[in-house]
Amino acid sequence: MWPELCLTMEFRYMLRLCLHFSSGTSSLVSSALFAVHPVHTEAVSGVVGRAELLSAVAFLCALLYYIHNRYQHKTNAWQECGVTSVLAILGLLCKEQALTVLAVCCIYEIMSPKNQRRVQGIRYLMLGRVSPWLRDKLLRVSLLTTAALGALYLRCKIMGPKIVPAFSRFDNPAAASATPVRQLTYNYLLSVNAWLLLFPCNLCCDWTMSSIPLITGFWDARNLATVAFYAFILFAARTIFRLEEDARMNLVMSLSLLVLPFLPASNLFFPVGFVVAERVLYIPSMGFCMILAQGWTILWEKRYVRHNLIQS
């Protein structure tokens, strides 16, 4: 009963979120794909996965509240950032990933201005002044950043002197390995997680010990997967600057939802207690589904245009 309730809420919230950035068809496709994605199996079926479900609800509530009120201009910066921060902290109590919603809101704040507002801001800067529009944006980003840093500080204080727990070699073999084995393996695991989102055929409830062998040298063929992963990231970043404003906003927010919530579990900044965990892909899969739906919409529109040209 509990997983079904969370999934129903998240499907509805996901649909509302997508409607802010894409068409109705694309939003429905991305929401439906998110609802049935096989990588959610561990998060939905396992008891430990309830943390992911609760944090995802808080994540979506915070993001939707901020975007909706920012778009409607109903409240001021202090109220919007305050309520969003409270929702993010509630999600933090369930899972650390929920706090990254504040970073996603900052990305939205930076990317959301209209062209006329940008021109107005540039004119003010040329006159040596700061426009009210830019001042409001700086205030919002500062409030969200301060809330995130404050929440992290309180969490570290609660945990005591041992901020990063010590994990055994059984939990995360790469964490106990030397350079460059640790770095090569960690970067390869990024491509493994990306492959689980793209082609979830080999799912596992326990990726520990030697389930994924360590990469011991630069000549390991699996390094090609790492190179391909970073090449895709660079390609996506390059594509952003070629798109129109609405499509650019959609892609930026999709990548933000895909990348930022995954960073705490990526092993890139601090070691975590697992090699790969499919449950931590629950929130990042939102961004993945949005990207996939956006690509499907573009292909469908091209097919429709080509069909009309042939008919004419």
Side-chain angles (χ1 to χ4, degrees):
M1 180 64 183
W2 172 251
E4 289 81 358
L5 178 61
C6 286
L7 287 174
T8 303
M9 293 175 59
E10 287 161 9
F11 174 80
R12 181 180 177 183
Y13 293 160
M14 179 71 177
L15 182 60
R16 291 180 59 186
L17 175 64
C18 294
L19 287 173
H20 280 283
F21 307 110
S22 55
S23 63
T25 303
S26 179
S27 300
L28 183 60
V29 170
S30 59
S31 302
L33 182 59
F34 173 76
V36 300
H37 201 295
V39 83
H40 298 163
T41 302
E42 182 185 5
V44 174
S45 60
V47 176
V48 70
R50 290 187 178 182
E52 271 70 21
L53 299 180
L54 288 172
S55 65
V57 171
F59 186 99
L60 286 172
C61 287
L63 186 57
L64 279 173
Y65 175 85
Y66 187 83
I67 292 176
H68 178 74
N69 286 277
R70 190 72 177 98
Y71 181 77
Q72 298 292 336
H73 302 286
K74 291 183 177 180
T75 55
N76 56 36
W78 290 90
Q79 180 177 342
E80 292 175 14
C81 296
V83 175
T84 303
S85 300
V86 170
L87 291 172
I89 293 173
L90 290 177
L92 174 64
L93 298 176
C94 303
K95 194 76 174 181
E96 293 82 355
Q97 286 178 305
L99 192 63
T100 58
V101 69
L102 299 179
V104 176
C105 290
C106 288
I107 297 295
Y108 174 80
E109 191 64 42
I110 294 171
M111 296 298 299
S112 62
K114 301 296 183 182
N115 289 330
Q116 57 184 3
R117 293 291 185 89
R118 291 195 186 100
V119 174
Q120 181 189 27
I122 293 174
R123 289 176 178 173
Y124 270 86
L125 290 176
M126 292 178 64
L127 296 174
R129 299 162 56 190
V130 179
S131 66
W133 160 79
L134 183 58
R135 191 181 301 114
D136 181 68
K137 281 193 170 296
L138 292 175
L139 174 62
R140 291 173 182 274
V141 173
S142 300
L143 290 175
L144 293 172
T145 304
T146 302
L149 294 177
L152 287 175
Y153 175 77
L154 290 177
R155 186 184 184 280
C156 293
K157 290 289 290 184
I158 293 173
M159 292 185 65
K162 206 168 188 178
I163 298 177
V164 180
F167 301 107
S168 65
R169 190 176 185 87
F170 176 82
D171 297 322
N172 192 347
S177 302
T179 303
V181 176
R182 181 171 64 255
Q183 288 76 15
L184 291 175
T185 304
Y186 281 165
N187 283 277
Y188 169 69
L189 292 178
L190 298 178
S191 63
V192 172
N193 283 279
W195 184 250
L196 287 175
L197 286 173
L198 184 62
F199 195 66
C201 60
N202 296 319
L203 301 179
C204 180
C205 63
D206 188 17
W207 296 85
T208 54
M209 202 55 183
S210 59
S211 56
I212 299 179
L214 298 174
I215 296 181
T216 57
F218 292 99
W219 301 110
D220 194 309
R222 290 175 294 172
N223 288 321
L224 295 176
T226 305
V227 174
F229 172 79
Y230 282 108
F232 169 77
I233 295 297
L234 292 176
F235 173 77
R238 182 183 178 186
T239 304
I240 290 174
F241 299 99
R242 297 183 175 183
L243 298 175
E244 297 180 357
E245 186 170 0
D246 292 338
R248 184 189 304 120
M249 186 67 180
N250 189 356
L251 183 57
V252 168
M253 292 303 298
S254 301
L255 288 174
S256 300
L257 287 170
L258 174 62
V259 175
L260 293 178
F262 180 71
L263 287 180
S266 64
N267 280 302
L268 295 179
F269 300 103
F270 47 83
V272 295
F274 50 81
V275 179
V276 173
E278 295 157 13
R279 61 183 182 274
V280 302
L281 296 175
Y282 192 80
I283 296 179
S285 65
M286 299 178 187
F288 172 79
C289 294
M290 290 175 65
I291 293 175
L292 211 60
Q294 185 179 8
W296 176 85
T297 303
I298 294 174
L299 293 176
W300 180 262
E301 290 176 351
K302 288 184 177 180
R303 176 183 178 275
Y304 183 76
V305 171
R306 189 183 301 112
H307 178 73
N308 288 341
L309 290 175
I310 294 174
Q311 291 292 333
S312 61

